[in-house]
Amino acid sequence: RRQRALLWAVLLAAWWAAWGQLRYSVPEEMPKGSFVGDVAKDLGLQLPALKDRDAHVFDTGRTRYFFLDLQNGHLSMMEQVDREEICAAVAKCVLSLEILVKSPMNIYKGEVQILDINDNPPSFPERRSVLEISENTAPGTRFPLERAHDPDIGVNSLQNYECSESSYFTLDVKNGDDGVKYPELILVKSLDREQQTVHNLILTAIDNGKPVKSGSTTIQIIVLDGNDNAPEFTQSVYKVTVREDVAVGSRLLQVTATDRDEGPNAEVKYSFFKIPEKFDKTFRMDPESGEIVITESLNFDEHEFYELVVQARDAGGLSSHSKVLIKVSDVNNYIPEIVIMSVFSPVPEDTPLGTVIAIFSVQDRDSGANGEVQCNISESHPFRLEKSFDSYYRVVTAELLDREEASEYNVTVHAADGGSPALQSSAVLALRVLDVNDNAPVFAEERYSARLAENNAAGALVLRVRATDADAGQNARVRYRLSEGRVRGAPLSSYVSVQAETGALTGDVKVTGPLDYEEGKYYEATVEGKDGGGLTAHAKVHIDIIDVNDHAPTL
């Protein structure tokens, strides 16, 4: 037992020393099987240890992008990864993984950053667009243009716009509140429809990758006749904050524009201007009232901010534009998820204090306080909860275990987020305590006595002894034997014996042959009970021989 406890102490120390985190980076689009990192070297583990401890990338149900090659200890790509597909517009694309080893149990957290490569050129939704402008439009008027999209990030993403030369227009690029560059066309010279009815420009979007990539669209500007005044919005920017659980069909806000003209030229129609296709199903604008209505459920985790451009256009073809900034606030709508990663069961009852019994993690897809999770475990158990790192926890022994007091435990893990009201979840760790041979047999009596008439038959039952053992299984199975001794020069076993029938808990003390009162008035022996682990107990057996009238008088 001392050796086993020492071994556990060494393994426990190794567990604490080994706890760590791995960080690697790899460019996207690397082929399957590509090298990511030398896990064996970075964790200080020998290759045989990786195999013996069943090291593997833990499967949490998410898509697996990596595997651990036990032949060389390398972490490698499970499949080719497209950063734009898995991380969309996230600036830093990091994939998490967990490497689980056993004997002793341990988990290593790893992060692999997927580096962007310039594999996507900027592109416009349409190769050709039409813009109608009245010849009465004043120089300095701005016209928002449809922006290009580049799924890459950093220098590989869209960096600037260029426009073909024109004596009537110039290009200005603005940075939006969402960090996106928005191209706007500025009229620098009065238009004259009688001189030129159509102007054609080429708008080019450029990134700064190596090599540089670009995409273009043609803008056809049609000059309209008459109508002196364009509609004017009451605000240049409309802002609104809405909860993500707002009901579909709810009114979001209303934009308003006025036109100083009269008659048909003062009739204003509202619409979204070049709304991205992915937002087209989310919002609807009433062309008459300017009301914006939600037509699809919002999701904070997918989009927490929208920047839309709205247009007011009169019957004469003049238009103006304004921005609508929509901020989505998070609602506590995700229950914390408890992922049990490994459970050490059955647990030997002589397990040292501080031994890791289980490892689990918690995840909450909400943000802010709604995504902050606190964990605890049910009380009245000899275990305690420790936080490892990030959202990882371990359950360790806080008290010495005793199988004879409790052979199993159902430890409930509780997780609650910081929302109001808080959402909660729970999971049960079913732990079984493994018996250790820490209890010797105990006889029901210290001394057993019996009386037996002489001249008995061989094999006659004299008495029964019984010893019980609080352990379980083989450790509780008791075998009986008489201690060796001699009676009047003959072995004790030639007079009495003890044996237990199969499955019986008692030992039967029997005589091996007829006993003669005249040879011995009593017999004494020590019976031993030994369990499956080698622990013993002893009791005394005393047999009095009763005389019978088996001798005639002699002269």
Side-chain angles (χ1 to χ4, degrees), residues 60 107 111 143 195 229 252 261 281 324-325 375 405 437 440 458 479 521:
T60 59
I107 186 170
E111 291 184 351
F143 302 92
Q195 290 186 2
N229 296 288
L252 189 61
D261 290 320
K281 296 180 180 179
V324 175
L325 305 181
C375 290
E405 291 186 4
N437 193 31
R479 299 177 184 275
K521 297 181 180 180

Side-chain angles (χ1 to χ4, degrees), residues 105-124:
M105 187 192 311
N106 195 1
I107 186 170
Y108 302 92
K109 182 179 180 182
E111 291 184 351
V112 180
Q113 182 177 359
I114 306 300
L115 304 177
D116 182 52
I117 63 174
N118 194 25
D119 55 344
N120 294 283
S123 61
F124 290 91

Side-chain angles (χ1 to χ4, degrees), residues 67-126:
F67 70 93
L68 182 60
D69 190 340
L70 298 181
Q71 300 300 320
N72 51 28
H74 291 173
L75 186 68
S76 303
M77 300 297 299
M78 176 74 77
E79 60 181 55
Q80 194 174 56
V81 173
D82 184 351
R83 191 203 66 83
E84 289 75 36
E85 180 180 343
I86 61 175
C87 290
V90 177
K92 187 176 182 180
C93 183
V94 176
L95 298 178
S96 298
L97 60 96
E98 296 84 24
I99 296 178
L100 189 66
V101 297
K102 300 178 181 178
S103 302
M105 187 192 311
N106 195 1
I107 186 170
Y108 302 92
K109 182 179 180 182
E111 291 184 351
V112 180
Q113 182 177 359
I114 306 300
L115 304 177
D116 182 52
I117 63 174
N118 194 25
D119 55 344
N120 294 283
S123 61
F124 290 91
E126 299 178 2

Side-chain angles (χ1 to χ4, degrees), residues 80-276:
Q80 194 174 56
V81 173
D82 184 351
R83 191 203 66 83
E84 289 75 36
E85 180 180 343
I86 61 175
C87 290
V90 177
K92 187 176 182 180
C93 183
V94 176
L95 298 178
S96 298
L97 60 96
E98 296 84 24
I99 296 178
L100 189 66
V101 297
K102 300 178 181 178
S103 302
M105 187 192 311
N106 195 1
I107 186 170
Y108 302 92
K109 182 179 180 182
E111 291 184 351
V112 180
Q113 182 177 359
I114 306 300
L115 304 177
D116 182 52
I117 63 174
N118 194 25
D119 55 344
N120 294 283
S123 61
F124 290 91
E126 299 178 2
R127 299 183 62 181
R128 179 178 178 274
S129 59
V130 176
L131 182 62
E132 295 179 339
I133 303 176
S134 171
E135 63 179 333
N136 296 329
T137 302
T141 302
R142 291 174 172 267
F143 302 92
L145 301 176
E146 191 167 33
R147 65 182 182 89
H149 176 66
D150 190 331
D152 293 321
I153 61 171
V155 296
N156 295 327
S157 68
L158 192 154
Q159 298 295 310
N160 203 3
Y161 291 92
E162 294 180 355
C163 187
S164 57
E165 291 186 5
S166 170
S167 59
Y168 290 90
F169 299 94
T170 187
L171 182 69
D172 184 31
V173 180
K174 286 190 171 184
N175 289 320
D177 293 341
D178 54 0
V180 177
K181 296 183 181 297
Y182 290 87
E184 292 185 351
L185 206 58
I186 303 175
L187 181 65
V188 296
K189 179 181 176 180
S190 297
L191 298 172
D192 188 335
R193 183 178 182 279
E194 285 68 33
Q195 290 186 2
Q196 187 174 352
T197 59
V198 176
H199 298 262
N200 290 306
L201 302 175
I202 297 177
L203 179 64
T204 302
I206 306 169
D207 65 22
N208 199 25
K210 292 182 180 179
V212 173
K213 293 188 176 183
S214 63
S216 300
T217 185
T218 299
I219 303 173
Q220 184 182 57
I221 301 170
I222 299 175
V223 182
L224 303 178
D225 190 26
N227 196 9
D228 296 330
N229 296 288
E232 294 181 0
F233 280 97
T234 56
Q235 297 175 218
S236 60
V237 178
Y238 294 84
K239 296 181 179 181
V240 65
T241 299
V242 60
R243 288 166 53 97
E244 65 172 328
D245 62 350
V246 64
V248 173
S250 299
R251 176 182 179 273
L252 189 61
L253 58 83
Q254 183 178 21
V255 299
T256 304
T258 59
D259 194 309
R260 290 179 293 169
D261 290 320
E262 295 181 351
N265 289 334
E267 295 176 359
V268 178
K269 301 287 187 181
Y270 300 95
S271 64
F272 290 119
F273 182 79
K274 304 295 184 182
I275 185 171

Side-chain angles (χ1 to χ4, degrees), residues 427-456:
V428 176
L429 302 175
L431 303 176
R432 185 166 59 88
V433 181
L434 186 65
D435 184 56
V436 172
N437 193 31
D438 54 353
N439 291 281
V442 177
F443 277 96
E445 301 178 31
E446 293 184 0
R447 180 183 177 88
Y448 294 86
S449 299
R451 294 166 60 85
L452 182 67
E454 67 174 327
N455 300 328
N456 54 279

Side-chain angles (χ1 to χ4, degrees), residues 4-26:
R4 188 182 294 109
L6 178 61
L7 175 60
W8 273 106
V10 172
L11 295 178
L12 181 63
W15 189 94
W16 277 98
W19 191 276
Q21 185 165 343
L22 305 168
R23 288 187 173 91
Y24 304 111
S25 61
V26 62

